[in-house]
């Protein structure tokens, strides 16, 4: 029997489609509203966290500067109590009178990026002990000033009671030269006499020299109960505000830094940049900022949405400052709504198309029930896919998103996929405590604290934030920060858990580094003291040579050649060991012969021939010792001549380099002829140098002697070329080039040619000290430098740079 079907009215599928679309639209709007609310909550939390991090960074810098100032004061006081300083004559070598009557650091040889400068007001009078204290302060300031290079603070200084300053400020290397005549720091917050021991902060004030707003950590220094001045660190306001760059990630954001009276210290609001007078918060944007400020304080909250904007506050306790930020919420809301609207539209269009197709098929094939059921199944599958898409969107959030019961096990009802990376366990392991409870992975010592903090804050505000440790399945202990609160029905808890292990590890490393800094300094000081005691145990006979070596070491430090000290010591040992070995051998022979002679006398068997033979051996040994001692004395004289320093000011004068070079070439005319050597001289006649002319004569003569002796060895003959001209980019400097076409310099020697005992002929009669002396002359007497160009051409090629008169 054939089954007859009743015709379904045409409008039934259309009404069904409208009902389905309406229901789907309603529930999608509800889900969208929840997701937007959760996303806004994350944005608010992140903004508040950024503001808090910035305030903590500023607070840490201020605390570091305060602690460092205290250590600086103690270090200087300890140094003054030891009483080991340089003399006043040495201080006079570092400073000179200025036309305005002040005393300032000599510009020659001074580089403010690496050294501390000195400024003393006009009519400053100081005793020898005060001068010694200034030298001690300069060395201590340079040591502690290294913190400015890592941006922990801006500078390091010492102010003496007359109002002068010793300062190391890498970003302001010409600070002491910028000071106007008559400037003194007397009667300023930086130099308050007889203050109580300890560190205090100055208010935010402008430095009269750099004209920068700054805060200063100041520590007074006392010696035997008598005030010696103050030390401290400055932190410019601009360097503190550089931390607020993190806030620029949000569009149309702004910040205001307030003092304890709610006056504006700093802001990035453009309309307030050029306002000179003090501005109160009430006058900004019709008082919106002030109203938000009042509400935040009254509700004791770190952030709040007010008039379509998000406001946050963070406290910088050491200064009593408040950092307040603002960002509009509408752009964020629009961005989220646009994303969800696009997603909703795609889903709506997809569902609508499927429903319309289903309706047409249902109206056309209403008698075919199998096709109708199939299309209903397709609709069900599509809805399931949309659900998966929403869950995938949540799983892509890097932090753990959860919903759980408020019980002692924290029984989980929902977890996103981030739980696996954070704990090592799958989400289904925690759902309804299937494999283990979330409370089981909380570090045992933190479980009670976590429960108490969450319950107390839920009871008071309905929201909470707690930091605790968990036990990762593989990686051990990890640090977490959890923010959450009651769900809408208050039957469960919802929140976000973020892994902050890297931040905690960095914080711990910083604490350990600060704690061990003083120990490292003490250990290094002890090692230096031990090394100093070992040096003092050397024999008196070589004392003069050791003093010359110490002078050479100081010059190598100034020339940044300290790394080559090992080479110099090895060369010195090579030169000294041979005569010392000869002396030891001769003494051994003498002792042996004298013992034999004494034995023959005691036994009465002494023969004349044996006595004559013994006396001959002793005479030869004594002659050998005399020769070795003369060689040692000669080496000692050479060591003493390593550090060239011209002390007579009257011998320093302007001289023509062209005329000097002509005179030198005339002096070598006969030697050039006998050795078949040609020379070329090309020196600009306008070049005039200032200094001892005989010193420059010695430099060029030494280079020529080296070319004749070592450059033109075999076959004899060659060419020497000397040229000099003004520097291309610096009119106040000249470049002198010396070159020959001889056999050149071995690569092994070229890398340390200016170091004592680095000569090519070492061990063949030459002590290798000539070019070291040349280097010291150019640096100390002409404030210049000399370089060896190893790959320029064949032969030797030297370039000298010097300032001109």
């Amino acid at each position: 029997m054939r089954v007859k079907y009743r015709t379904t009215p045409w409008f039934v599928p259309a009404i069904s489609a409208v009902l389905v679309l309406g229901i789907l639209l309603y529930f999608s709007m509800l889900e969208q509203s929840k997701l937007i609310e959760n996303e806004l909550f994350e944005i608010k939390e992140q903004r508040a966290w950024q503001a808090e991090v910035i305030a903590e960074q500023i607070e840490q810098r201020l605390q570091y500067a305060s602690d460092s100032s205290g250590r600086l004061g103690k270090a200087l006081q300890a140094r003054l109590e030891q009483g080991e300083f340089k003399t006043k004559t040495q201080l006079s070598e570092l400073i000179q009178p200025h036309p305005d009557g002040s005393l300032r650091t000599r510009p020659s040889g001074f580089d403010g990026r690496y050294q501390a400068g000195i400024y003393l007001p006009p009519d400053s009078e100081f005793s020898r002990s005060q001068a010694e204290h200034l030298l001690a302060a300069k060395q201590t300031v340079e040591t502690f000033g290294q913190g400015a290079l890592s941006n922990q603070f801006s500078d390091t200084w010492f102010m003496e009671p007359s109002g002068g300053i010793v300062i190391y400020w890498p970003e302001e290397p010409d600070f002491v030269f910028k000071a106007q005549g008559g400037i003194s720091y007397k009667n300023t917050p930086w130099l308050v006499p007889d203050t109580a021991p300890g560190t205090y902060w100055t208010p935010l004030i402008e430095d009269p020299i750099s004209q920068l707003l700054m805060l200063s950590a100041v520590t007074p220094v006392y010696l035997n109960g008598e005030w010696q001045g103050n030390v401290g660190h400055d932190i410019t306001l601009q360097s503190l505000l550089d931390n607020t760059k993190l806030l620029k990630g949000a569009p149309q954001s702004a910040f205001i830094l307030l003092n304890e009276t709610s006056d504006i210290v700093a802001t990035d609001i453009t309309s307030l940049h050029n306002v000179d007078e003090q501005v109160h918060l009430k006058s900004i944007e019709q008082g919106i900022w002030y109203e938000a400020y009042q509400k935040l304080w009254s509700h004791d909250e770190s952030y709040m949405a007010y008039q379509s904007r998000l406001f946050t506050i963070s406290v910088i306790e050491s200064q009593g400052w408040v950092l307040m930020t603002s960002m509009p919420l509408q752009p964020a809301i629009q961005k989220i709504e646009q994303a969800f609207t696009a997603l909703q539209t795609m889903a709506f269009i997809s569902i609508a198309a499927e429903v319309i197709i289903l309706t047409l098929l249902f109206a056309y094939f209403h008698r075919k029930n199998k096709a109708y059921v199939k299309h209903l199944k397709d609709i069900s599958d599509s809805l399931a896919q949309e659900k998966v898409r929403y869950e995938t969107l949540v799983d892509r959030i890097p932090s753990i998103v959860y919903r759980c019961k408020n019980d002692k096990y924290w029984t989980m009802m929902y977890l996103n996929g981030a739980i696996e990376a954070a704990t090592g366990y799958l989400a289904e392991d925690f759902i309804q405590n299937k494999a283990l409870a979330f409370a089981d992975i909380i570090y045992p010592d933190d479980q009670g604290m976590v429960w108490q903090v969450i319950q107390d804050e839920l009871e008071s505000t309905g929201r909470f934030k707690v930091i605790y440790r968990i036990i990762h399945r593989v990686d051990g202990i990890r640090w977490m920060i959890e923010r959450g609160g009651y769900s809408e029905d208050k039957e469960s808890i919802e929140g976000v858990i973020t892994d902050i292990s890297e931040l905690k590890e960095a914080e711990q490393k910083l604490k350990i580094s600060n704690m061990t800094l003083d120990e490292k300094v003490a250990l290094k000081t002890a090692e230096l003291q031990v090394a100093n005691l070992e040096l003092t145990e050397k024999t008196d006979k070589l004392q003069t040579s050791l003093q010359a070596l110490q002078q050479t070491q100081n010059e190598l430090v100034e020339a940044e050649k300290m790394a080559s000290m090992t080479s110099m010591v090895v060369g010195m040992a090579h030169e000294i060991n041979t005569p010392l070995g000869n002396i030891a051998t001769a003494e051994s022979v003498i002792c042996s012969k004298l013992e034999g002679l004494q034995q023959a006398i005691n036994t009465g068997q002494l023969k004349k021939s044996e006595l004559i033979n013994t006396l001959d051996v002793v005479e030869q040994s004594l002659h050998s010792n005399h020769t070795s001692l003369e060689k040692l004395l000669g080496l000692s004289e050479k060591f003493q001549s390593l550090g060239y320093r011209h002390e007579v000011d009257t011998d320093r004068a302007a001289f023509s380099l062209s005329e000097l070079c002509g005179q030198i070439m005339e002096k070598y005319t006969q030697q050039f002829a006998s050795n078949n050597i040609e020379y070329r001289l090309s020196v600009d006649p306008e070049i005039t140098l200032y200094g001892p002319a005989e010193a420059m004569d010695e430099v060029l003569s030494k280079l020529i002697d080296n070319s004749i002796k070592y450059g033109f060895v075999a076959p004899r003959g060659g060419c020497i070329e000397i040229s000099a001209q003004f520097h291309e980019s610096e009119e106040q400097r000249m470049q002198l080039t010396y070159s020959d076409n001889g056999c050149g310099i071995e690569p092994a020697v070229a890398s340390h040619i200016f170091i004592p005992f680095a000569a090519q002929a070492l061990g063949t009669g030459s002590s290798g000290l000539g070019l070291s002396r040349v280097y010291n002359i150019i640096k100390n007497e002409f404030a210049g430098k000399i370089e060896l160009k190893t790959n320029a051409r064949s032969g030797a090629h030297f370039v000298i740079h010097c300032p001109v008169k």
Side-chain angles (χ1 to χ4, degrees), residues 705-715 717 740-744 760:
D705 287 340
N706 284 351
S707 294
I708 296 174
K709 183 181 294 185
Y710 306 117
F712 306 122
V713 178
D740 64 41
N741 60 354
C743 61
Q760 288 177 273

Side-chain angles (χ1 to χ4, degrees), residues 17 85 100 134 160 277 279 366 378 430 455 459 464-465 514 520-521 539 598 653 656 668 708 723 741:
F85 319 112
D100 61 2
L134 280 176
E160 49 92 28
E277 65 275 3
V279 179
H366 63 281
D378 291 341
F430 295 104
Q455 300 308 313
E459 183 177 354
F464 65 87
K465 180 177 76 171
N514 289 335
K520 291 180 179 178
V521 172
T539 62
Q598 184 65 40
S656 170
Y668 280 92
I708 296 174
S723 63
N741 60 354

Side-chain angles (χ1 to χ4, degrees), residues 58 135 189 221 253 308 323 372 433 493 506 524 590 655 665 758 766:
I58 295 175
L135 281 174
V221 178
S253 66
S308 300
L323 175 66
Y372 182 73
N433 301 331
I493 298 174
K524 190 63 178 177
I590 292 174
F655 63 90
M665 290 305 177
S766 173

